């Protein structure tokens, strides 16, 4: 082979190597940065909110708290009843099981203390977000609040 061809092959190999490292760094950055927060004006969010309001009207005023999936659009409208303590995540043992690759196996838990419903993160990789603020310790969650676990956004009803 000629020396020019070998030099071109070396350069191509270096370019491919740099592209590979770039992709690896980008994947790590996406994992460390966490999920993107949901913008305020999503159309599917409105449809989830309308579905939630329709359920409120049909059940009456004194109903058990529940989480209604608002995002992503293909899961919008799913409802999870809440008890005294529930776990949220991808694991089959969770009471709120999510089909979301950005959610941890045991991501968060919701529980009742002193008559208030609280949410806490269970050391998840991407964090738990309540009304677009990161959950760093137990926080009180109220009806109408939005809980984001991975890419899944749920509203407490």
């Amino acid at each position: 082979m000629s020396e020019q061809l070998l030099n071109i092959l070396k350069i191509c190999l270096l370019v491919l190597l740099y592209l590979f490292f770039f992709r690896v760094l980008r994947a790590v950055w996406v994992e460390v940065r966490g999920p993107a927060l949901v913008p305020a004006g999503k159309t599917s969010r409105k449809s989830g909110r309308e579905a939630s309001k329709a359920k409120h009207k049909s059940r009456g005023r004194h109903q058990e708290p529940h989480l209604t999936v608002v995002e992503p659009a293909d899961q919008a409208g799913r409802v999870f009843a809440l008890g005294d303590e529930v776990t949220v995540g991808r694991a089959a043992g969770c009471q709120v099981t999510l089909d979301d690759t950005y959610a941890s196996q045991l991501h968060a838990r919701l529980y009742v203390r002193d008559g208030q419903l609280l949410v806490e993160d269970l050391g998840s990789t991407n964090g738990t977000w309540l009304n677009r603020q990161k959950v760093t310790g137990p926080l009180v969650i109220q009806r109408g609040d939005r809980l984001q676990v991975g890419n899944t956004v749920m509203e407490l009803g």
Side-chain angles (χ1 to χ4, degrees):
M1 283 193 190
S2 72
E3 193 161 323
Q4 285 181 335
L5 182 61
L6 287 175
N7 284 336
I8 290 173
L9 289 174
K10 285 180 192 176
I11 291 171
C12 289
L13 180 63
L14 282 173
V15 168
L16 288 174
L17 189 62
Y18 279 113
L19 286 174
F20 171 75
F21 284 129
F22 174 74
R23 290 287 286 164
V24 169
L25 288 174
R26 185 174 177 269
V28 169
W29 176 254
V30 168
E31 285 294 319
V32 168
R33 188 181 61 183
L37 294 175
V38 177
K42 288 280 188 177
T43 56
S44 56
R45 183 171 124 181
K46 291 177 185 174
S47 64
R49 182 177 282 171
E50 290 168 2
S52 178
K53 286 181 183 178
K55 288 180 184 176
H56 282 288
K57 289 179 185 177
S58 66
R59 290 187 183 176
R61 284 179 98 81
H62 301 288
Q63 62 183 359
E64 291 297 316
H66 61 276
L67 287 174
T68 304
V69 176
V70 178
E71 293 283 337
D74 63 332
Q75 295 182 25
R78 286 181 61 193
V79 178
F80 298 99
L82 300 179
D84 287 339
E85 182 172 339
V86 296
T87 54
V88 181
R90 288 185 324 192
C94 292
Q95 291 80 16
V96 178
T97 306
L98 302 176
D99 184 25
D100 185 344
T101 56
Y102 288 97
S104 298
Q105 294 290 321
L106 289 173
H107 197 102
R109 89 177 167 128
L110 287 93
Y111 58 97
V112 177
R113 289 288 183 271
D114 300 325
Q116 293 184 315
L117 185 63
L118 292 111
V119 61
E120 74 174 331
D121 185 73
L122 297 177
S124 64
T125 304
N126 293 320
T128 303
W129 302 81
L130 180 62
N131 296 327
R132 301 176 76 187
Q133 294 184 359
K134 190 167 185 164
V135 175
T136 57
L139 291 176
V140 175
I141 182 171
Q142 299 174 347
R143 292 188 192 273
D145 284 350
R146 299 237 168 179
L147 181 67
Q148 183 171 350
V149 174
N151 286 331
T152 305
V153 179
M154 298 168 283
E155 184 175 303
L156 182 67

